[in-house]
Amino acid sequence: MPSVPLGGPASTAAPVPAPRTFVVLGDSLSVWAFASHGTRASTTGAWPSLLAGMDSDLKLVHNAGVPGNTTTQMLARLRRDVFAYHPDILFVLGGTNDAGDDFAVSTTVANLRKIVEAARAQGIEVVLLTIPPNNALRSSRLARLRQTNTALIALGKADGITVSTSTRRLLGRRTASRGLRRRRRSAPEHAGEEIVAATIYAQLTAAPAPQLAP
């Protein structure tokens, strides 16, 4: 009698779906994080890795954050740093350095719109992130940053783009917003990174993010 493969001749086990892959395009805000009250940046605990750790169905295939980048520079490296990895989802967090370099809000938004359009043409889902608070900037640049966030939300509504507004939650947490206030930091504290990751996860899944290990 011929042997029967494990699972029987009529096994109906459903194939396990592959995880959704994602790339993050951004600046230091997607690369660096700070321990509470720390002054030295670390790649450990940055929000992209935290997001990937929340669900086995999400896989970070490339963190394309480059410290100091403007949205113009991000746009220029799309093919090399995003399309080459064929992600299902692209997260974009840019604009802080545009504000610091006195870019017009219209220029920043136009660059982000081009990034979205190019990614969509590749069949990639895009999620834009509003810019976290940065009290290291002078008041005129802070105003430009806030104007950029308002414009991003309007862009999302007009073009059907998902916009993650974790900024509002960061502003409500002293421990999180403080991460961009002192010692010329360029990323939130770990508590702020967790807020960003949890906010994105909730928007992607319409479910609360799992608790992260302390």
Side-chain angles (χ1 to χ4, degrees):
M1 175 180 290
S3 62
V4 178
L6 291 176
S11 176
T12 57
V16 177
R20 300 184 74 193
T21 60
F22 69 92
V23 166
V24 175
L25 181 67
D27 49 36
S28 61
L29 292 173
S30 299
V31 179
W32 294 337
F34 288 85
S36 181
H37 307 297
T39 60
R40 181 170 296 180
S42 170
T43 56
T44 301
W47 69 264
S49 297
L50 296 180
L51 177 62
M54 287 178 172
D55 195 324
S56 60
D57 288 336
L58 290 172
K59 180 181 180 181
L60 174 63
V61 292
H62 184 52
N63 187 336
V66 175
N69 251 200
T70 64
T71 55
T72 299
Q73 293 167 316
M74 294 176 199
L75 177 61
R77 58 189 179 87
L78 261 181
R79 185 169 299 279
R80 180 187 73 242
D81 284 350
V82 178
F83 300 161
Y85 292 87
H86 308 287
D88 298 307
I89 310 170
L90 169 63
F91 296 100
V92 184
L93 175 51
T96 294
N97 296 307
D98 293 42
D101 290 344
D102 294 322
F103 281 29
V105 172
S106 58
T107 299
T108 301
V109 174
N111 284 337
L112 292 171
R113 184 194 294 271
K114 290 175 183 177
I115 289 171
V116 171
E117 291 174 348
R120 282 178 162 180
Q122 298 285 323
I124 301 170
E125 178 184 350
V126 183
V127 177
L128 296 177
L129 279 68
T130 54
I131 311 166
N134 187 337
N135 292 318
L137 296 176
R138 64 173 183 253
S139 58
S140 62
R141 289 173 174 172
L142 272 175
R144 187 177 292 111
L145 189 152
R146 288 191 291 267
Q147 291 164 7
T148 300
N149 281 342
T150 298
L152 287 181
I153 293 170
L155 174 64
K157 291 179 179 178
D159 290 4
I161 305 164
T162 300
V163 179
S164 177
T165 56
S166 55
T167 297
R168 294 172 180 171
R169 294 187 63 194
L170 286 172
L171 286 169
R173 284 283 299 270
R174 290 183 179 179
T175 56
S177 62
R178 185 174 59 220
L180 288 175
R181 182 176 299 160
R182 298 179 178 174
R183 299 181 182 89
R184 303 176 70 180
R185 289 177 170 177
S186 54
E189 293 180 356
H190 285 171
E193 301 287 345
E194 292 174 3
I195 287 174
V196 174
T199 302
I200 294 170
Y201 185 85
Q203 286 185 271
L204 284 178
T205 63
Q211 291 295 315
L212 294 165

